[in-house]
Amino acid sequence: THAFVPFSTGDLTAFVLATGEPRWTQPAPTSFAPAADGTRVIVVSETSVQAFRATDGEPLWRVPTPGVIVSAPVATSGWVVVALDSGQLRALRAETGAQVWSTELEAIPSSAPVVAGDRLYVGVTGRVLAALDVVSGARLWQAAFDGDVFFPDWPRAQFRLAESEARTSTDGIGYHFNRYERIGEPRR
């Protein structure tokens, strides 16, 4: 019922979908699309994760990370998962921001994590797709593929959300597609 839109000004604004009217605005600089779980909106900055109450924008919690966040967060079933430039994935409780688990990957994640059922999938630089158990973070399998998920400099470049689309497949699985535009040179 709301769309949560980050702006280049560093603000996050909630819009009522039926009317387009702005509901609330909070300072929340980000280079990635926020994640929403129905109750909360999760926003990542370069080195922190923050949650706002979806209905009124009230800040709920903010947690620093030990590295740079390299993709949009995922929020589902009471969990928030973020990917760091160290190759680490961190799962947090959506209600409090408390860390549940942390898993080290061999390289930098090259895609935002995706949750399907009890599995979490993430692309890793070096042309690898990894599947993890969403509850424990344990690696279930990994597979090599022919190309990188994204351009290698995406984690260091600045982008803005250009287009966003939600779809539901015939088997009932929801997908969210975002297209980003580069707005700056890669950070070194």
Side-chain angles (χ1 to χ4, degrees), residues 82-178:
V82 295
L84 305 177
D85 66 346
S86 63
Q88 186 181 82
L89 288 178
R90 286 187 162 218
L92 310 173
R93 291 204 190 291
E95 187 174 331
T96 64
Q99 182 175 312
V100 179
W101 55 258
S102 174
T103 295
E104 297 289 333
L105 302 170
E106 288 82 29
I108 298 171
S110 59
S111 72
V114 175
V115 175
D118 62 351
R119 304 245 170 133
L120 181 133
Y121 301 92
V122 65
V124 181
T125 53
R127 303 176 176 178
V128 172
L129 177 65
L132 294 87
D133 179 90
V134 76
V135 174
S136 68
R139 184 165 321 196
L140 301 172
W141 55 262
Q142 66 181 36
F145 52 99
D146 290 338
D148 289 329
V149 174
F150 293 126
F151 297 111
D153 67 344
W154 272 42
R156 295 182 310 277
Q158 293 185 3
F159 293 85
R160 72 168 173 236
L161 182 65
E163 236 179 291
S164 185
E165 180 181 349
R167 297 183 195 164
T168 302
S169 66
T170 54
D171 59 358
I173 297 174
Y175 297 93
H176 194 90
F177 299 93
N178 292 327

Side-chain angles (χ1 to χ4, degrees), residues 67-85:
V68 175
I69 296 171
V70 296
S71 71
V74 62
T76 184
S77 303
W79 299 77
V80 174
V81 180
V82 295
L84 305 177
D85 66 346

